[in-house]
């Protein structure tokens, strides 16, 4: 991948979109790639819960083995792709497998690619062709690693008129919340059949963030440390130590405080996006549009020793059936 040059890259394909079969194959591999990026998904409500639970269990096993799974949060805002051409499909929906607690869900931002202006959430009604997805799961409960951040968002949004928080009766506010983080996802140049095209999407931001994690793994492995594996608790903990900021010169995270996900991606044949009545808005801290924000890659990899004790470990439990895995990892990538 472009963001992890010279790192071995594997393309893994399936005949049909069956994520549970794919992850079972990866899990059965003796030496699977350490970082996986998934740039598409299915409606959470369209996949039976047992299949999603099976995926979650396999993702937990892989996380304990040092494997990270990254998934795009979707390109159609809060309603997903069905609302592009049919506004009656507006509502609160999120994609699977980005909804899985043991998967890192990645949203998209825009702005820095222009060379000027602030970094904001990707919105189809503000110049992008897509709108970054986000919301709450009706299948998985909210994991402990993000619950404080989500509750802070709900509390702050209630007190912030410009946040336009929808009624809690409209979405499962106690469910797994996405995205976890965001990264640039607007106006990438790609080459297909010797022709250059400009594309946007969380389908771009997810592999970009996967590349960032691959670079972190490379550096860790070079000094004898284990790979990141299930990275979500690490990122939320790191945020607690270095809260996101839109102006700080030292924070690992860039706080995204502008944008919303009311609209879908632009419809086909150049038609404008569908903009639904309800959606989520960016505010200070974690929000269901940009997550914890984007990361400053250099600072993310360096993680200043003055902010974290590099010998501090965090142990978390991964409970699968009757098996409990314990994983330890450094929060500071001090190389």
């Amino acid at each position: 991948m472009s963001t992890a040059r010279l790192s071995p890259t594997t393309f893994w394909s399936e005949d049909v979109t069956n994520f549970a079969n794919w992850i079972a194959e990866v899990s059965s591999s003796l030496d699977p790639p350490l970082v996986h990026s998934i740039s598409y998904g299915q409606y959470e409500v369209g996949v039976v819960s047992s299949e999603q639970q099976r995926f979650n269990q396999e993702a937990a096993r892989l996380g304990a083995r040092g494997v990270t799974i990254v998934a795009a949060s979707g390109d159609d805002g809060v309603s997903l792709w069905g609302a592009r051409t049919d506004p009656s499909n507006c509502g609160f929906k999120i994609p699977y497998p980005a909804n899985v607690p043991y998967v890192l869900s990645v949203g998209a931002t825009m702005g820095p690619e222009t060379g000027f202006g602030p970094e904001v959430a990707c919105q189809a009604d503000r110049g992008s062709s897509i709108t970054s997805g986000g919301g709450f799961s009706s299948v998985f409960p909210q994991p402990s690693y993000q619950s404080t951040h989500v509750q802070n968002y709900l509390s702050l949004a209630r007190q912030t008129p410009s946040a336009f928080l929808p009624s809690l009766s409209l979405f499962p506010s106690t469910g797994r919340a996405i995205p976890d983080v965001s990264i640039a996802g607007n106006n990438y140049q790609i080459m297909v059949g010797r022709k250059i095209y400009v594309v946007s999407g969380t389908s771009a931001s997810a592999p970009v963030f996967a590349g960032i994690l691959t670079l972190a793994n490379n550096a860790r492995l070079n000094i004898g440390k284990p790979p990141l594996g299930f990275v979500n608790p690490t990122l939320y903990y790191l945020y607690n130590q270095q809260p996101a900021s839109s102006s700080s010169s030292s924070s690992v995270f860039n706080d995204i405080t502008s944008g919303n996900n009311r609209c879908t991606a632009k419809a086909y044949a150049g038609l404008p996006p569908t903009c639904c009545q309800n959606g989520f808005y960016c505010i200070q801290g974690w929000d269901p549009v940009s997550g914890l924000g984007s990361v400053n890659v250099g600072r993310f990899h360096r993680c200043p020793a003055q902010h974290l004790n590099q010998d501090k470990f965090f142990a978390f439990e991964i409970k699968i059936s009757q098996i409990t895995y314990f994983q330890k990892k450094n929060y500071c990538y001090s190389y």
Side-chain angles (χ1 to χ4, degrees):
M1 292 181 288
S2 61
T3 49
R5 293 178 60 197
L6 306 181
S7 298
T9 300
T10 301
F11 293 91
W12 204 307
S13 63
E14 294 286 332
D15 292 335
V16 295
T17 304
N18 189 315
F19 293 112
N21 287 347
W22 166 78
I23 200 170
E25 292 177 12
V26 175
S27 188
S28 66
S29 174
L30 296 179
D31 187 24
L34 292 177
V35 182
H36 295 255
S37 179
I38 302 171
S39 282
Y40 59 103
Q42 300 170 281
Y43 274 90
E44 177 189 62
V45 295
V47 180
V48 295
S49 176
S50 59
E51 181 175 322
Q52 297 185 57
Q53 296 292 347
R54 175 188 170 197
F55 188 103
N56 190 46
Q57 290 183 354
E58 295 295 348
R61 290 190 175 96
L62 285 167
R65 292 171 59 188
V67 175
T68 306
I69 301 174
V70 177
S73 69
D75 294 347
D76 290 275
V78 75
S79 296
L80 296 184
W81 52 88
R84 284 188 194 180
T85 56
D86 186 355
S88 68
N89 286 322
C90 283
F92 293 89
K93 308 175 184 73
I94 63 172
Y96 158 75
N99 64 328
V100 172
Y102 288 101
V103 167
L104 182 71
S105 177
V106 179
T109 64
M110 64 183 189
E113 75 282 356
T114 65
F116 60 89
E119 185 177 16
V120 300
C122 259
Q123 281 184 236
D125 59 334
R126 292 181 65 181
S128 183
S129 60
I130 68 105
T131 298
S132 190
F136 295 79
S137 172
S138 59
V139 173
F140 296 105
Q142 208 164 93
S144 60
Y145 61 74
Q146 68 169 185
S147 59
T148 298
H149 297 267
V150 176
Q151 294 310 308
N152 286 344
Y153 158 77
L154 293 171
S155 177
L156 181 59
R158 288 192 192 98
Q159 305 169 41
T160 308
S162 60
F164 300 104
L165 181 67
S167 169
L168 298 187
S169 64
L170 297 177
F171 63 94
S173 62
T174 59
R176 156 71 163 139
I178 67 168
D180 297 300
V181 291
S182 292
I183 205 73
N186 193 52
N187 287 356
Y188 280 86
Q189 287 189 335
I190 64 171
M191 181 172 287
V192 180
R194 298 185 180 181
K195 293 183 178 181
I196 295 178
Y197 298 87
V198 177
V199 299
S200 302
T202 55
S203 296
S205 55
V208 166
F209 207 95
I212 293 170
L213 296 175
T214 297
L215 292 176
N217 275 342
N218 290 347
R220 289 174 65 82
L221 293 170
N222 284 339
I223 58 173
K225 291 184 178 180
L228 292 167
F230 175 42
V231 73
N232 299 27
T234 301
L235 293 173
Y236 282 88
Y237 181 88
L238 182 58
Y239 182 98
N240 289 338
Q241 302 302 308
Q242 300 182 331
S245 171
S246 57
S247 59
S248 173
S249 60
S250 61
S251 177
V252 168
F253 293 90
N254 306 309
D255 199 3
I256 310 301
T257 58
S258 178
N260 66 73
N261 59 11
R262 287 195 312 117
C263 300
T264 65
K266 289 183 178 178
Y268 309 105
L271 296 175
T274 295
C275 290
C276 303
Q277 178 180 355
N278 291 308
F280 297 109
Y281 285 70
C282 292
I283 61 174
Q284 183 179 359
W286 182 93
D287 56 65
V289 182
S290 64
L292 297 171
S294 64
V295 297
N296 179 297
V297 179
R299 295 176 198 152
F300 174 67
H301 286 166
R302 289 192 299 270
C303 187
Q306 65 265 32
H307 290 290
L308 287 174
N309 180 350
Q310 67 181 37
D311 295 323
K312 181 177 181 178
F313 290 92
F314 172 72
F316 62 90
E317 300 180 27
I318 303 175
K319 295 185 177 180
I320 310 168
S321 300
Q322 300 302 314
I323 304 173
T324 300
Y325 295 85
F326 288 89
Q327 186 174 4
K328 292 183 177 181
K329 60 176 72 212
N330 289 90
Y331 278 121
C332 183
Y333 316 131
S334 179
Y335 302 128

